[in-house]
Amino acid sequence: MNKELTLLDEIEEIRQKAAEKPQNYPVDYSIRLISAIVAEHAGYANRNDWTDELKKHSESKYATRLSENRFHS
């Protein structure tokens, strides 16, 4: 499989597991898990790497929330 299909396959597996056992996949956890998978496929070693990049771009929603003190950790 190509890397895009591998990525989509991993995300779909999380969706299936969440449907089977939703108590094990709260929304925040699930989104963080999927973000980590996408970031790894994009070449980022960890969450700090890609969030540090977003902080550098004033047009990013991430940077806007930080500057407006509306960021939930």
Side-chain angles (χ1 to χ4, degrees):
M1 275 192 302
N2 65 33
K3 65 182 182 177
E4 290 83 6
L5 277 178
T6 300
L7 173 60
L8 291 167
D9 190 42
E10 289 181 47
I11 292 169
E12 178 61 17
E13 183 60 17
I14 292 167
R15 192 180 77 79
Q16 292 297 319
K17 288 179 179 180
E20 293 166 357
K21 295 185 178 179
Q23 69 277 12
N24 292 341
Y25 291 87
V27 173
D28 184 63
Y29 171 78
S30 298
I31 292 170
R32 286 175 180 261
L33 182 59
I34 292 167
S35 294
I37 292 168
V38 171
E40 181 181 343
H41 278 264
Y44 293 100
N46 57 55
R47 183 175 176 84
N48 287 339
D49 288 350
W50 64 267
T51 56
D52 284 348
E53 286 296 313
L54 286 175
K55 290 174 190 175
K56 296 175 187 176
H57 297 276
S58 60
E59 70 274 14
S60 80
K61 292 170 183 67
Y62 189 96
T64 300
R65 281 190 171 273
L66 280 175
S67 70
E68 294 173 354
N69 199 24
R70 296 184 304 120
F71 191 78
H72 309 279
S73 45

